[in-house]
Amino acid sequence: MSPQITTVQTAPIAGQKPGTSGLRKKTPVFMGRHYLENFVQSILDVVGCAGKTFVLGGDGRYFNDRAAQVILRMAAANGAARVIVGQGAILSTPAASHLIRLNQTDGGIIMSASHNPGGPNEDFGVKFNMANGGPAPEAVTEAMYQRTTTISEYKVLEAQDVDLGQIGRHKLGAMVVDVVDPVTDYAELMMKLFNFEAIHTLFKSGFRMRMDCMCAVTGPYAVEIFENLLGAPKGTVVNAIPLPDFGGMHPDPNPTWAKALMDEMFSVMAPDFGAASDGDGDRNMVVGRGIYVSPSDSLAVLAANAKLAPGYETGLKGVARSMPTSAAADRVANALGIGKYETPTGWKFFGNLLDAGRATICGEESFGTGSDHVREKDGLWAVLLWLNILAVRKQSVAAILRDHWAKYGRNYYSRHDFEAIATDKADAMMAALRGSLAGLPGQVIEGMTISAADDFAYTDPVDGSISTRQGVRVLFQDGSRIVYRLSGTGTEGATLRVYLERYAPGPDGLDHDAQAALSPVIRAAHSLAAIAAFTGRSEPDVVT
Ligand code: VG1
Ligand code: CO
């Protein structure tokens, strides 16, 4: 007898509005009655489910395994033909994006709250990726949200759990569940893009690397790729076993949260190269011996040197960056004579540019870099491209960065985050700032003249869709810039992000500490927005 489909009566739950990257809430909220089910049914109602094939996986955080079983039962009840699941319900975000594309599926559901901590009292999240492998665009996530406000029932199959530990074909009612190794296909893709032989030779010559996976999803990927395929010594990858609470770590690869890696890279015994990745494997931090690479610089260096990797040897079509990301990548695009694009924050805005073949490499200041090989940012991809470049150029990270700055000048850059501010205070500050914009041009502050000020709006050059209110920009005549926006990924209060940039053309002044070089811009940022008066904060919680 085939299992029965039950229709469960439910009612809308407030606040199921996806942010920058999916719906993220405290885990107990997601585990609450009907919460996951309402959101998943809304996804399936919007994208359609009958006869379709989806990919399913997550970053392994607390509740990942149980949520996967619920999603499978709901997909089966809604008539899906097939779901491809990573073994143990594990898939990194870039690997999920790849599987969606490789198998020409109708999309995928990814369970992750990315760089947010995980655990019974931390964060959980769900997002939908489209058939191109990329995050659902705003129009689609808005439709899902609207659906959550009117939902009255969801469907679920009355059946036992699928054994997701067992690779191979399973059945759930009439639906096929294919459990696959999460790493194999992804590793194969990497082998096509990069010169594994050159990197293997590099490791054989004694080159030392430290890869910190922060007890999150990239562990198995990194061990397979770096230690097994590329011959890096055992132990190169640390914190390699994904844990439901990420071992208590905050899996956000930045100098604050990946402090152990930073300390090692600045010690006497530092390896040649260090890297870290986030909860779901789409972010990366790169560090050389004694030198930190800002994500904006990393994007620029990768774009300038991409031709050294087989996957990019015919050159790039264009480079895209999110608006708050520094203009360093623009200088590379200008020099290469290729297209450059400035999009709102969030990877979903790169999808059209990648699909249309306008951009090949994309990046965000928030430790995200990627290319047209998938439709997500990809942490290990960036680390491998760096390794490929290091293997070919046979120079240190420091030498490559200094070379880059000498050629293009240096965009000093930093982001200051003020976390868990009361939402009304943060909103009031942003409203006042927006109200002051018209009067700013011409004003002189900290000896710098404001040349323009606006609230960033973006018109997608491919489909013409418009996104407004994407962050306040204050531009100065000397090329310096301040950007203010509120985070769309947090689950507690508001997080104010202040992005600071100053350009030094060189040849002098390229070797300063970033915070010191930015100090007038930092002071200007505080006084223009009256950050302390509105929020009571005069110091950021996190500086990257
Ligand atoms: C942050 C970053 C943004 C990134 C997003 C998702 O968003 O600033 O650049 O795309 O996280 O990254 P926000 O709205 O908090 O500033 V991840 O690694 O969560 O998928
Ligand atoms: Co992430």
Side-chain angles (χ1 to χ4, degrees):
M1 216 180 79
S2 54
Q4 190 190 323
I5 295 169
T6 304
T7 301
V8 180
Q9 302 305 309
T10 186
I13 300 172
Q16 293 198 317
K17 193 177 172 64
T20 312
S21 179
L23 181 65
R24 295 184 191 180
K25 295 287 170 196
K26 288 287 166 206
T27 311
V29 174
F30 244 109
M31 294 176 74
R33 191 167 151 79
H34 298 329
Y35 198 94
L36 173 68
E37 291 85 346
N38 275 16
F39 189 61
V40 170
Q41 187 66 54
S42 299
I43 291 176
L44 298 178
D45 287 348
V46 167
V47 301
C49 187
K52 297 206 166 165
T53 297
F54 298 114
V55 166
L56 174 65
D59 61 16
R61 70 180 59 223
Y62 188 83
F63 189 49
N64 185 103
D65 48 354
R66 280 170 286 166
Q69 299 289 350
V70 172
I71 295 169
L72 284 173
R73 280 198 271 272
M74 290 184 65
N78 282 275
R82 180 178 171 224
V83 179
I84 301 166
V85 194
Q87 187 180 24
I90 299 278
L91 285 175
S92 77
T93 288
S97 181
H98 178 51
L99 282 181
I100 292 171
R101 297 166 63 77
L102 182 70
N103 295 288
Q104 299 182 320
T105 67
D106 299 293
I109 293 179
I110 301 176
M111 300 167 290
S112 170
S114 187
H115 55 285
N116 300 12
N121 294 308
E122 298 294 349
D123 291 355
F124 191 78
V126 170
K127 69 171 180 167
F128 186 79
N129 280 29
M130 310 293 280
N132 73 345
E138 269 187 332
V140 176
T141 56
E142 181 57 23
M144 290 167 181
Y145 170 59
Q146 288 307 330
R147 183 73 191 116
T148 67
T149 64
T150 59
I151 191 164
S152 59
E153 56 182 47
Y154 63 82
K155 288 197 177 70
V156 64
L157 194 76
E158 298 295 336
Q160 296 300 325
D161 285 1
V162 181
D163 184 359
L164 297 179
Q166 199 62 45
I167 287 177
R169 181 153 284 194
H170 306 253
K171 286 293 276 255
L172 188 60
M175 185 177 85
V176 169
V177 178
D178 282 323
V179 177
V180 300
D181 181 272
V183 179
T184 312
D185 289 319
Y186 177 82
E188 261 170 38
L189 176 63
M190 294 301 117
M191 285 190 259
K192 282 190 202 132
L193 296 175
F194 301 113
N195 189 338
F196 270 46
E197 225 179 278
I199 304 173
H200 199 271
T201 307
L202 181 71
F203 280 121
K204 249 177 50 200
S205 75
F207 179 90
R208 286 188 308 132
M209 168 181 174
R210 176 72 64 238
M211 174 79 218
D212 191 341
C213 293
M214 304 187 85
C215 301
V217 79
T218 48
Y221 296 84
V223 168
E224 174 65 9
I225 292 172
F226 300 125
E227 296 184 5
N228 298 345
L229 296 173
L230 289 168
K234 297 275 174 243
T236 294
V237 182
V238 294
N239 296 317
I241 298 175
L243 298 172
D245 65 348
F246 306 127
M249 292 180 91
H250 186 157
D252 195 349
N254 64 39
T256 301
W257 296 117
K259 188 168 180 306
L261 175 70
M262 288 298 284
D263 289 348
E264 188 178 3
M265 293 309 296
F266 282 80
S267 71
V268 207
M269 293 296 290
D272 301 280
F273 182 62
S277 51
D278 75 334
D280 62 333
D282 56 359
R283 295 187 178 200
N284 72 94
M285 177 174 78
V286 161
V287 201
R289 179 185 291 138
I291 192 162
Y292 163 68
V293 184
S294 86
S296 292
D297 276 347
S298 179
L299 172 65
V301 170
L302 293 181
N305 293 280
K307 268 189 144 180
L308 302 178
Y312 307 92
E313 65 191 3
T314 57
L316 308 180
K317 291 166 188 150
V319 179
R321 63 167 172 88
S322 68
M323 180 274 283
T325 304
S326 94
D330 299 14
R331 298 179 190 283
V332 174
N334 289 343
L336 294 173
I338 57 175
K340 55 174 195 277
Y341 301 89
E342 185 178 33
T343 62
T345 292
W347 209 262
K348 57 183 175 240
F349 292 102
F350 294 132
N352 279 345
L353 297 171
L354 293 165
D355 284 349
R358 295 204 191 191
T360 308
I361 286 190
C362 308
E364 295 192 278
E365 50 62 43
S366 54
F367 301 84
T369 16
S371 87
D372 59 1
H373 69 291
V374 291
R375 291 294 179 274
E376 287 278 7
K377 54 190 186 277
D378 188 343
L380 292 181
W381 171 90
V383 175
L384 283 164
L385 182 48
W386 264 100
L387 281 172
N388 194 141
I389 292 165
L390 292 167
V392 175
R393 286 185 55 168
K394 301 183 168 61
Q395 286 172 297
S396 68
V397 172
I400 288 175
L401 262 188
R402 297 220 161 88
D403 240 42
H404 189 92
W405 294 332
K407 182 164 178 197
Y408 298 98
R410 178 170 177 187
N411 291 72
Y412 283 102
Y413 188 85
S414 183
R415 187 177 99 187
H416 289 196
D417 288 342
F418 302 79
E419 295 178 342
I421 303 173
T423 306
D424 55 341
K425 291 182 180 172
D427 288 343
M429 194 208 89
M430 289 302 289
L433 193 57
R434 287 190 160 101
S436 74
L437 291 178
L440 290 184
Q443 276 191 33
V444 179
I445 182 160
E446 295 289 332
M448 307 178 299
T449 307
I450 298 176
S451 55
D454 67 2
D455 192 350
F456 182 61
Y458 178 66
T459 304
D460 186 301
V462 179
D463 68 13
S465 60
I466 294 171
S467 303
T468 57
R469 296 170 66 83
Q470 295 296 321
V472 168
R473 306 190 284 186
V474 180
L475 312 172
F476 296 89
Q477 266 169 17
D478 67 357
S480 300
R481 184 181 73 152
I482 303 167
V483 175
Y484 304 86
R485 58 180 284 282
L486 298 183
S487 159
T489 57
T491 56
E492 236 175 329
T495 293
L496 167 66
R497 303 202 195 285
V498 182
Y499 309 80
L500 308 142
E501 180 174 359
R502 185 180 194 184
Y503 181 60
D508 299 322
L510 296 177
D511 252 327
H512 295 299
D513 168 72
Q515 300 307 316
L518 288 165
S519 58
V521 186
I522 295 169
R523 285 194 299 271
H526 278 267
S527 75
L528 276 171
I531 296 176
F534 277 101
T535 68
R537 303 284 183 83
S538 45
E539 295 293 330
D541 300 286
V542 177
V543 172
T544 54

